[in-house]
Amino acid sequence: MFDWLREWFKPAPDSLAAGSVRKGKSPWVDAIHLLWSIWVFVTPVFDGYSWRWAALTLISYPIFLALYAVWHPAAPGSGMRWG
């Protein structure tokens, strides 16, 4: 049913994610790095939230997650270029 999604997240052979799998790690190990992004929501608890911060974060965080999901399993030089 979701074969297209599985294929979309299949890491390229020379990607960071595939390198981790070759080393014997679970494919989900690299997703642990996303847990650190929770600090985006925790840190303002100490300084206070603003409506501007909340709006910008709610817009940008899903974009960050989408870029991470696409970039991490991509092969170096596969069209994901900066600049």
Side-chain angles (χ1 to χ4, degrees):
M1 180 174 173
F2 291 104
D3 291 333
W4 65 270
L5 188 60
R6 184 177 297 129
E7 189 63 32
W8 191 61
F9 281 108
K10 182 179 178 184
D14 56 345
S15 68
L16 294 172
S20 294
V21 171
R22 278 192 301 276
K23 293 177 185 173
K25 296 180 183 177
S26 167
W28 293 102
V29 168
D30 291 312
I32 196 78
H33 300 298
L34 291 176
L35 287 177
W36 289 106
S37 67
I38 292 172
W39 283 106
V40 169
F41 301 100
V42 174
T43 302
V45 169
F46 302 106
D47 294 330
Y49 291 95
S50 71
W51 288 107
R52 181 179 181 203
W53 175 89
L56 290 173
T57 301
L58 291 175
I59 291 169
S60 63
Y61 192 71
I63 294 169
F64 160 74
L65 291 176
L67 289 173
Y68 186 89
V70 170
W71 172 79
H72 195 69
S78 65
M80 295 288 296
R81 300 179 193 268
W82 302 101

